[in-house]
Amino acid sequence: MSRIETTCVQGGYRPGNGEPREIPIVQSTTFKYDTSADMGKLFDLEASGYFYTRLQNPTNDYVAAKIAELEGGTAAMLTSSGQAASFFAVFNLASCGDHVVACSTIYGGTFNLFQVTMRKMGIEFTFVNPDCTEEELEAAFRPNTKAVFGETIANPALTVLDIGKFANAAHAHGVPLIVDNTFATPVNCRPFEWGADIVTHSTTKYMDGHGAAVGGCIVDSGKFDWMAHAEKFPGLTTPDDSYHGITYAEKFGKEGAFITKATAQLMRDFGSIQAPQNAFLLNLGLESLHVRMKQHCSNGLALAKFLSTHPQVEKVNYPSLPGDPYYELAQKYLPDGSCGVVSFEVKGGKPAAERFMKELKVFAIETHVADARSCCLHPASSTHRQMTEEELKAAGISGGLVRMSCGLEAGEDLVEDVAQALEKAF
């Protein structure tokens, strides 16, 4: 097995004699076959291949295979965005009348997806504090619970998920743990090694790394035994009448059932495919992911250390900073670094935070995070503005909270920019 640095560069696609060195962009909606019988085998899932890019595309599959290798999974699929990945990962298991346990600190867009949109589809969610006791976590489960969802590093609260604790609780109830690993990336954490079953990514962030292409990914560990809990997951363990009566868990086993169902059902019906051109750009980002994450983490830690001593800063959230409430968990799950994102509370609340951000020169105010250029935003008035005050509090977001995403610039320049902005703001 290759080390992760080599997998970043060469995973997923291994050209044969005389074939392109770089992943080819298959910019085609359709694929030609000699006979209807040949194509029919694809529709029956009796043969591998491609017939319509709304479901699958070779470029996408090469890149998905690389991400599966990076995470240590058995199968993966690309989606049009991280939101689509979160939706597909849950909806592949839960339907009207079902229930899911999720962390309260998850990204605001994901919270809104679960709390509002998927509730309209008849799926109920119980949100738990990531720091909850095992007893409190146990109390969140119901007989109709189908999954548990959390983020390795929460956006923007920067809480660290105790993956082992949540995996044990999920498995005790016969359901999988889904972990959004966007901020950590497989370079810094591989949740499957700690008991997670499904991993999702917004590839728009560090994986792409350059703010060039929106995308998402779902990876299956291939370890969850769907047939052992057949009554909980009829979509995987009973015949699919919409796809020729195939029983996914029987035909494709633990290693392939989840992703095959997500492709054959959800991608077929929702069409949230990642464009092949975007997948190509994503792969270029993946080739340098292992190098870039070191610089992101170095810059993040330098900024966190500076902020922790500043008189106008109320609180700093950065799990790799000694003294942070999640430092010990970060040392367990993220010993080589967490991410380049730092959030902190400015004294004076929202007005002070807005004054501070207005004075920044290197950091740009953007609804983005985790790419080569440093940026920042005010979550309470942007990504999390749909939340109530109670929901914001549960997510660890105050009016004075600012999220800073440290890019690949010189760390000294980033610290100096924040220093001058704080000075002018006060």
Side-chain angles (χ1 to χ4, degrees):
M1 180 179 176
S2 298
R3 292 174 174 80
I4 201 158
E5 296 87 349
T6 304
T7 303
C8 281
V9 179
Q10 297 199 16
Y13 173 69
R14 293 169 177 83
N17 187 42
E19 292 182 343
R21 188 69 180 88
E22 181 57 89
I23 288 177
I25 304 171
V26 182
Q27 193 65 46
S28 179
T29 60
T30 50
F31 301 81
K32 174 188 174 294
Y33 287 89
D34 291 336
T35 69
S36 293
D38 290 338
M39 184 174 284
K41 292 177 182 178
L42 301 176
F43 277 87
D44 288 342
L45 299 181
E46 295 294 339
S48 60
Y50 304 90
F51 53 85
Y52 198 51
T53 285
R54 190 182 78 225
L55 282 89
Q56 284 180 289
N57 178 281
T59 307
N60 292 24
D61 283 356
Y62 288 136
V63 182
K66 174 179 282 191
I67 297 173
E69 285 185 46
L70 288 170
E71 286 287 5
T74 57
M77 67 184 295
L78 298 188
T79 61
S80 58
S81 68
Q83 281 289 83
S86 296
F87 172 64
F88 277 19
V90 174
F91 197 60
N92 207 33
L93 301 173
S95 57
C96 184
D98 289 334
H99 172 257
V100 175
V101 176
C103 285
S104 61
T105 53
I106 57 175
Y107 166 62
T110 310
F111 181 90
N112 196 65
L113 169 68
F114 292 170
Q115 177 76 344
V116 179
T117 302
M118 294 187 77
R119 279 187 186 275
K120 293 177 182 177
M121 303 169 76
I123 303 172
E124 293 293 318
F125 290 81
T126 296
F127 294 95
V128 297
N129 190 311
D131 302 330
C132 65
T133 64
E134 293 181 0
E135 292 74 21
E136 290 169 333
L137 181 55
E138 174 71 21
F141 285 85
R142 303 176 187 175
N144 61 337
T145 299
K146 297 299 176 72
V148 179
F149 187 98
E151 295 174 347
T152 309
I153 305 172
N155 174 14
L158 298 175
T159 58
V160 175
L161 185 70
D162 189 341
I163 301 172
K165 179 179 77 174
F166 277 78
N168 290 338
H171 297 161
H173 289 269
V175 302
L177 172 63
I178 304 170
V179 174
D180 182 332
N181 198 32
T182 296
F183 269 16
T185 81
V187 171
N188 286 340
C189 182
R190 287 161 43 112
F192 294 154
E193 296 175 355
W194 300 98
D197 302 288
I198 308 293
V199 158
T200 64
H201 285 276
S202 170
T203 63
T204 317
K205 309 305 190 296
Y206 286 123
M207 284 189 164
D208 168 81
H210 300 84
V214 174
C217 186
I218 308 171
V219 187
D220 184 8
S221 69
K223 296 178 181 177
F224 193 86
D225 191 344
W226 307 108
M227 293 304 295
H229 309 283
E231 74 288 350
K232 283 185 173 289
F233 305 104
L236 284 157
T237 61
T238 61
D240 178 6
D241 293 335
S242 76
Y243 229 105
H244 320 293
I246 282 175
T247 299
Y248 296 101
E250 289 182 351
K251 186 171 181 63
F252 301 100
K254 292 188 295 183
E255 295 79 11
F258 185 87
I259 294 298
T260 303
K261 177 179 180 291
T263 301
Q265 282 186 0
L266 304 186
M267 196 62 83
R268 175 196 66 192
D269 294 343
F270 291 97
S272 300
I273 195 76
Q274 187 170 143
Q277 179 70 54
N278 281 12
F280 176 83
L281 293 172
L282 167 58
N283 186 62
L284 294 181
L286 289 170
E287 290 178 352
S288 63
L289 180 63
H290 58 295
V291 179
R292 291 185 289 105
M293 286 307 294
K294 292 178 183 178
Q295 179 71 3
H296 285 299
C297 292
S298 174
N299 284 349
L301 183 58
L303 180 60
K305 287 180 176 178
F306 167 77
L307 290 168
S308 68
T309 63
H310 199 282
Q312 300 301 337
V313 173
E314 197 80 47
K315 178 185 178 184
V316 179
N317 302 309
Y318 190 69
S320 296
L321 180 70
D324 185 272
Y326 296 94
Y327 181 76
E328 293 304 323
L329 276 179
Q331 293 305 296
K332 176 180 179 179
Y333 294 114
L334 304 149
D336 297 323
S338 50
C339 63
V341 181
V342 181
S343 64
F344 68 101
E345 294 181 21
V346 181
K347 290 182 179 178
K350 183 178 179 180
E354 291 178 339
R355 291 197 307 271
F356 161 73
M357 293 173 67
K358 185 180 178 181
E359 299 296 339
L360 291 166
K361 308 300 182 186
V362 179
F363 285 86
I365 300 174
E366 299 176 7
T367 309
H368 198 232
V369 66
D371 73 20
R373 290 165 294 276
S374 293
C375 58
C376 66
L377 60 71
H378 183 245
S381 60
S382 55
T383 54
H384 293 67
R385 72 179 299 131
Q386 297 93 347
M387 297 171 112
T388 65
E389 288 298 322
E390 293 76 17
E391 290 168 345
L392 285 170
K393 184 177 180 180
I397 297 167
S398 68
L401 186 76
V402 178
R403 185 186 73 185
M404 311 291 290
S405 175
C406 297
L408 301 179
E409 304 91 347
E412 295 86 351
D413 289 340
L414 301 184
V415 171
E416 289 171 7
D417 188 39
V418 170
Q420 65 85 23
L422 284 170
E423 183 178 352
K424 292 178 180 177
F426 293 93

